Amino acid sequence: MTDLLENEEKIKDVVMLAARILLEAGAEGTRVEDTMTYISSACGYKSSNSFVTNTVITYLLHNGTHPRIYRIQTRDTNLIRISETNRVSRHIVEGKITLDEAWDKLKYINERIDDHPLPFKAFAGGMVGLSFLYLQGGLLIDVPTAILAGGIGYFITEYLSQKIEAQFIPEFIGSFIIALLAAFGHMLVPSGELSIIIISAVMPIVPGVLITNAIQDMFGGHMLMSITKLLEALVTAFGIGAGVATVLIFL
């Protein structure tokens, strides 16, 4: 009996850690719940139940055991963690690793696999701004401004997101800085297109992944999670627009 209880607790630990990593890394609710179900079924518990929202994971292994609840504090986009956690889940289902090995691998993913360095992400943000400048038919003379505004704006947004607990403020400040840099670059080179520069430079901080996940959750029947994500994306977009509008008003 004691061994059975210990095994159940180990299953709960593995399932909850996998779900936590996925949700904190920006995975959609459908993926998280499916992963929890797959692991439980592979361990012999096909009647498990799970319910996931943006901020809470609820899990019940079976009706005769205590449920687990975990509150999600931070969320980001980290596709590496999602991919590695999915790999661990598949290996459990295929019987290639034990629960102890899965636990060690998940702990490694959670503690050791970090995102790319912030300067590298800022550089990538500048390249995203350059790409959208090209897609919108921007002028060659606007390239330096779009790269600098996109890279610096993304750097500031990500840095503030790590330091400030409040949501949407980093996006407001980041878009404000982006609009300032774009306006300053346009003043130095007035032959460019200010609107195209601003639109291109704010693209790296637009919540595109959040909107995509909300649509996927809607198709998967997770209406509550879909609505909350859409609202979060809407308010984030409002913060970005407010930051840009604040600069444009005073030009």
Side-chain angles (χ1 to χ4, degrees), residues 6-234:
E6 290 179 355
N7 185 62
E8 289 184 356
E9 291 302 314
K10 189 178 298 182
I11 296 172
K12 294 178 187 178
D13 291 338
V14 171
V15 170
M16 290 298 290
L17 182 55
R20 171 188 167 188
I21 294 172
L22 289 173
L23 201 57
E24 289 181 344
E28 65 276 15
T30 305
R31 180 189 299 271
V32 178
E33 291 188 359
D34 286 348
T35 299
M36 298 171 75
T37 300
Y38 291 150
I39 296 176
S40 302
S41 297
C43 296
Y45 295 90
K46 301 186 182 298
S47 60
S48 64
N49 284 290
S50 59
F51 180 71
V52 174
T53 67
N54 283 12
T55 55
V56 176
I57 300 171
T58 305
Y59 175 65
L60 182 67
L61 184 60
H62 61 83
N63 293 331
T65 188
H66 296 293
R68 289 281 188 95
I69 299 176
Y70 186 85
R71 177 76 160 82
I72 298 297
Q73 302 291 340
T74 59
R75 295 189 305 278
D76 198 1
T77 301
N78 193 320
L79 300 182
I80 299 176
R81 286 190 175 189
I82 294 175
S83 176
E84 291 300 315
T85 304
N86 286 340
R87 180 177 288 110
V88 173
S89 173
R90 287 194 296 269
H91 286 173
I92 294 174
V93 173
E94 295 168 359
K96 294 181 178 180
I97 58 176
T98 64
L99 285 176
D100 290 328
E101 291 172 336
W103 173 255
D104 291 336
K105 289 179 180 292
L106 290 172
K107 283 187 64 178
Y108 177 82
I109 295 171
N110 187 48
E111 298 173 0
R112 300 294 183 86
I113 296 184
D114 201 357
D115 208 348
H116 293 292
L118 188 53
F120 177 81
K121 294 172 69 175
F123 172 77
M127 293 300 100
V128 171
L130 173 61
S131 300
F132 276 95
L133 183 73
Y134 170 76
L135 291 175
Q136 296 183 88
L139 302 178
L140 186 62
I141 201 168
D142 293 331
V143 168
T145 304
I147 293 176
L148 286 176
I152 294 175
Y154 185 83
F155 180 91
I156 292 174
T157 302
E158 285 293 302
Y159 180 80
L160 291 178
S161 297
Q162 298 172 5
K163 300 298 181 181
I164 300 177
E165 294 294 334
Q167 297 241 346
F168 319 121
I169 294 178
E171 286 80 8
F172 172 82
I173 298 176
S175 62
F176 181 85
I177 297 299
I178 288 173
L180 276 180
L181 293 173
F184 181 72
H186 184 67
M187 288 174 58
L188 295 178
V189 188
S191 58
E193 293 286 343
L194 178 59
S195 59
I196 293 180
I197 296 174
I198 293 177
I199 293 172
S200 302
V202 300
M203 281 300 173
I205 64 174
V206 169
V209 174
L210 195 63
I211 296 173
T212 302
N213 285 350
I215 295 173
Q216 288 179 325
D217 285 328
M218 183 181 296
F219 288 151
H222 294 261
M223 301 306 296
L224 177 61
M225 195 165 185
S226 174
I227 292 172
T228 54
K229 283 185 176 181
L230 284 173
L231 289 175
E232 184 178 349
L234 180 63

